[in-house]
Amino acid sequence: MSTEQVARTGGQVESLTLDVGTDVTESARVRAWARAGLTDLTEEALADTILVLDELVSNALRHGKAPRRVRLTRSPGRVRIDVDDADRTPAAPRPPSEDGGRGLTLIDACSSAWGQEVRDNGKTVWAELTHPEAVSESV
């Protein structure tokens, strides 16, 4: 089951949260959810954000463990994507092959920064995208 939450702080920060199920079709649902929540981004900024989001969620579905959760945190000119899962194994680039291995390279190319935090109960892999001209000041 999924939950959605919206929180606003002083009109400057917006946080959207979605629990992600275990089925591989969840990626399509997450993309649709993000598009609905990021309507003020330019087409180019939205495409980059969805690409990074999709790679992070796909990695969590393929390599992580449930429960999984996605957070989009927005402030003027910036979108941060956090994907949590219950596996403590750090995300690591691997050589490209027919089975994948390009995701973290794409994330690195499209984002201004990315990283991960390993916790006792799992990890968060995150990426930040800056779109100074793309995000409305009235977030």
Side-chain angles (χ1 to χ4, degrees):
M1 175 168 276
S2 66
T3 60
E4 296 184 41
Q5 301 171 348
V6 178
R8 294 181 189 267
T9 305
Q12 296 299 310
V13 175
E14 180 180 18
S15 181
L16 307 170
T17 303
L18 180 69
D19 290 337
V20 179
T22 59
D23 191 276
V24 293
T25 61
E26 285 292 280
S27 290
R29 186 175 70 88
V30 171
R31 288 190 302 270
W33 166 80
R35 281 188 185 96
L38 299 172
T39 57
D40 60 336
L41 293 183
T42 65
E43 194 171 312
E44 181 180 341
L46 181 61
D48 287 348
T49 302
I50 296 295
L51 175 65
V52 171
L53 172 66
D54 193 49
E55 288 298 330
L56 289 172
V57 170
S58 295
N59 283 348
L61 287 168
R62 288 177 96 187
H63 307 292
K65 295 179 183 173
R68 297 173 187 90
R69 176 173 283 167
V70 176
R71 276 181 314 286
L72 298 176
T73 305
R74 301 173 51 199
S75 58
R78 182 178 146 258
V79 176
R80 179 178 165 119
I81 303 164
D82 292 278
V83 178
D84 304 327
D85 74 74
D87 189 342
R88 296 189 72 233
T89 306
R94 60 185 174 100
S97 70
E98 292 178 12
D99 296 330
R102 294 169 183 81
L104 292 178
T105 301
L106 285 171
I107 291 166
D108 188 54
C110 293
S111 62
S112 54
W114 75 274
Q116 56 194 312
E117 300 160 9
V118 178
R119 302 174 312 281
D120 289 340
N121 62 345
K123 70 178 171 299
T124 300
V125 183
W126 58 269
E128 291 185 358
L129 291 92
T130 54
H131 307 297
E133 75 291 346
V135 179
S136 169
E137 292 295 321
S138 65
V139 176

